[in-house]
Amino acid sequence: MNAQEFYSVSGKVLDASSKRQLSYASIQLISTNISNVTNSEGNFILKVPVNLKSDTLLVSYLGYKTQKIVLKPGIDQRINIMLNPSEIDLKPITIRPQDPYELVMMAINRIDRNYHVDHMQVTAFYREMIKKGGTYVSINEAVLDINKSAYGSFRMDQIGIYKARGNYDSNRIDTLMVKFQGGPHSALEIDVASDPFLGVEPIVIKEYYDFKMVAPVTIDNKYFYVIEFDQKPYLTDILFRGRLYIESESMAFARIEFNMNVEDNPRANSFFIRKKPSNLKMDVVSAAYLVNYKEINGIWHFDYSRTEVKFNAKWDKRWFRNTYTITSELASTEISDRQRKIENLNRIKSKDIMSNKVQDFTDENFWGAYNIIEPDASIESVISRIIRQLNKRDKDL
């Protein structure tokens, strides 16, 4: 595939008044399957085939008016997109109780209506990265087959690797090799709709969490309740804090942003650190998570998850410490009710380490023109580059 077959659209999405960058805003080329999300700095990039007739971007973000941007077909271009806060119109919505706990329980009780109750087949793109300070030392990417269990069932999700690749910078690793265990499984385990509610059985969540209503938001003409939560201040358990976005008509969880309350708590290390040298001290600094769902024909599906965990590491008798950041992302590229068998050799288990397995699934021909791993490129940008290979695979089945 030649580079000349594509043109590049890049830019940044910002709040129109404050100029604050909007992380994880949705970018979509209308009438195509080419889409993207902005990275943590609000930047995005799309590679658009020159033969596509579509020339309009649809840019959306929770709480802001959706904007359409007309492109210049066939020409590389960079644009800054300014989004304005959306105005809330109460007329078309159903009025519900404003007790945040009652709304959360209503959303939990409607999971069997709002999410698929049959097993689904998901193709997903997965990426995990480890940074030492500000430098990437390990990057792994994979296309996964996922047999996603029905919501409400006790069956575990099955994950298989279709294609993968990875690299690491041995010059930056020094004396410590940090590895991430069970990454793809961890990305699915934070599916809050599948396993409510964040370490606590739903029937007793009021004993562990406080809930608070904050300003609602709209996106694509849908109204969302926004509920903040945090563990009760007198509890010694290490639980979570964050925000829930509940779509007002279906009462479905559409998005969850949350952090584990690990700050300044040495007991948090036991949740994350499985094995380390005895003369190395490691402390968890922060643990942040994001889960997003998308609606397809009235049913909500797992769409995207992101995890970012930071550690401080210090060897005995050394003055300086290093900060390590582990980031993982998983994005669905196709969802269907067709089951694809995952062979035992392809399966990845919860205790497996992805960096140890990628060499068995490396296929340079699969990645085509996307032959360099770009850690700062958004995950949707990567997907747009390999979507033709994924479509070709489906046709060959």
Side-chain angles (χ1 to χ4, degrees):
M1 188 177 296
N2 298 322
Q4 290 78 6
E5 296 180 10
F6 296 85
Y7 66 94
S8 174
V9 180
S10 62
K12 178 173 282 193
V13 180
L14 303 165
D15 180 292
S17 57
S18 69
K19 302 301 185 290
R20 176 177 66 90
Q21 63 245 21
L22 299 179
S23 305
Y24 316 119
S26 175
I27 314 291
Q28 181 178 2
L29 193 63
I30 290 178
S31 301
T32 75
N33 58 10
I34 298 175
S35 63
N36 201 336
V37 292
T38 57
N39 65 13
S40 58
E41 285 78 41
N43 294 308
F44 71 92
I45 184 169
L46 289 178
K47 292 292 186 181
V48 183
V50 294
N51 58 355
L52 284 183
K53 296 181 180 180
S54 179
D55 61 356
T56 302
L57 286 184
L58 187 69
V59 185
S60 58
Y61 189 81
L62 280 171
Y64 288 79
K65 294 179 181 178
T66 297
Q67 189 173 145
K68 292 182 179 180
I69 306 294
V70 178
L71 303 178
K72 299 175 182 178
I75 300 174
D76 290 345
Q77 53 210 280
R78 180 172 178 82
I79 50 180
N80 284 339
I81 301 168
M82 305 294 179
L83 296 186
N84 292 296
S86 58
E87 299 175 357
I88 298 172
D89 182 5
L90 295 179
K91 293 180 182 178
I93 72 161
T94 301
I95 304 300
R96 301 193 187 278
Q98 294 300 298
D99 181 305
Y101 167 73
E102 294 296 332
L103 292 174
V104 171
M105 290 306 299
M106 194 178 298
I108 291 174
N109 291 332
R110 293 195 176 195
I111 286 175
D112 59 349
R113 300 190 210 175
N114 288 323
Y115 303 86
H116 59 85
V117 293
D118 297 311
H119 302 307
M120 302 295 289
Q121 174 66 45
V122 178
T123 303
F125 181 79
Y126 173 77
R127 175 169 60 186
E128 64 181 39
M129 301 172 287
I130 300 176
K131 290 172 70 174
K132 179 184 177 182
T135 303
Y136 292 98
V137 297
S138 177
I139 307 171
N140 295 288
E141 297 180 333
V143 176
L144 304 176
D145 291 321
I146 303 172
N147 288 339
K148 190 85 171 70
S149 297
Y151 284 83
S153 76
F154 295 100
R155 177 180 166 185
M156 299 291 292
D157 296 333
Q158 290 184 353
I159 305 174
I161 302 176
Y162 172 56
K163 301 290 183 183
R165 64 177 181 170
N167 61 37
Y168 68 91
D169 185 350
S170 59
N171 294 322
R172 295 289 300 176
I173 288 175
D174 195 17
T175 55
L176 181 63
M177 165 70 85
V178 176
K179 294 188 176 183
F180 185 29
Q181 186 180 68
H185 281 274
S186 298
L188 293 177
E189 285 170 359
I190 60 174
D191 182 352
V192 175
S194 178
D195 186 22
F197 179 87
L198 297 174
V200 176
E201 290 295 325
I203 195 171
V204 295
I205 59 174
K206 201 171 185 179
E207 299 175 20
Y208 290 85
Y209 284 98
D210 290 322
F211 298 93
K212 180 176 70 173
M213 297 288 297
V214 295
V217 298
T218 60
I219 184 170
D220 293 337
N221 298 318
K222 290 187 177 184
Y223 180 97
F224 293 83
Y225 298 113
V226 183
I227 298 171
E228 291 186 346
F229 62 90
D230 200 349
Q231 69 181 80
K232 291 184 178 293
Y234 54 80
L235 293 177
T236 59
D237 306 70
I238 300 177
L239 297 176
F240 301 87
R241 66 184 186 276
R243 282 191 169 194
L244 300 165
Y245 294 81
I246 300 176
E247 200 275 316
S248 63
E249 289 298 318
S250 64
M251 293 304 296
F253 292 117
R255 182 182 178 95
I256 302 100
E257 304 163 355
F258 59 104
N259 290 66
M260 195 173 187
N261 292 325
V262 300
E263 292 79 3
D264 301 316
N265 193 330
R267 292 191 300 115
N269 295 341
S270 63
F271 288 94
F272 297 93
I273 301 169
R274 292 290 177 258
K275 184 179 179 181
K276 70 175 184 64
S278 60
N279 60 336
L280 175 70
K281 179 178 173 58
M282 292 196 75
D283 293 311
V284 183
V285 177
S286 63
Y289 307 90
L290 167 67
V291 184
N292 202 72
Y293 302 86
K294 64 181 176 183
E295 184 185 15
I296 303 175
N297 298 325
I299 299 296
W300 293 78
H301 298 266
F302 178 93
D303 180 46
Y304 173 82
S305 72
R306 187 177 193 275
T307 296
E308 182 180 277
V309 182
K310 293 185 178 182
F311 303 85
N312 282 333
K314 183 180 180 301
W315 293 97
D316 289 349
K317 300 180 181 181
R318 292 192 183 182
W319 287 102
F320 301 104
R321 67 184 181 186
N322 292 311
T323 298
Y324 289 84
T325 304
I326 298 176
T327 304
S328 72
E329 295 179 281
L330 190 150
S332 301
T333 63
E334 182 186 15
I335 300 171
S336 71
D337 55 7
R338 178 187 60 190
Q339 290 289 295
R340 177 181 284 127
K341 183 179 179 181
I342 300 176
E343 302 294 340
N344 288 333
L345 290 175
N346 294 62
R347 290 187 184 182
I348 183 166
K349 302 177 178 62
S350 59
K351 292 185 179 181
D352 287 340
I353 295 171
M354 177 66 77
S355 59
N356 294 344
K357 298 182 74 68
V358 292
Q359 63 182 2
D360 296 330
F361 298 92
T362 299
D363 180 357
E364 296 300 332
N365 293 328
F366 173 80
W367 303 99
Y370 177 51
N371 53 16
I372 299 175
I373 298 179
E374 300 173 355
D376 293 320
S378 71
I379 195 169
E380 292 291 345
S381 175
V382 178
I383 292 170
S384 71
R385 301 185 190 194
I386 62 173
I387 197 69
R388 180 178 294 186
Q389 293 286 65
L390 294 177
N391 290 339
K392 179 181 176 182
R393 176 201 184 193
D394 289 334
K395 290 177 182 178
D396 292 340
L397 291 178

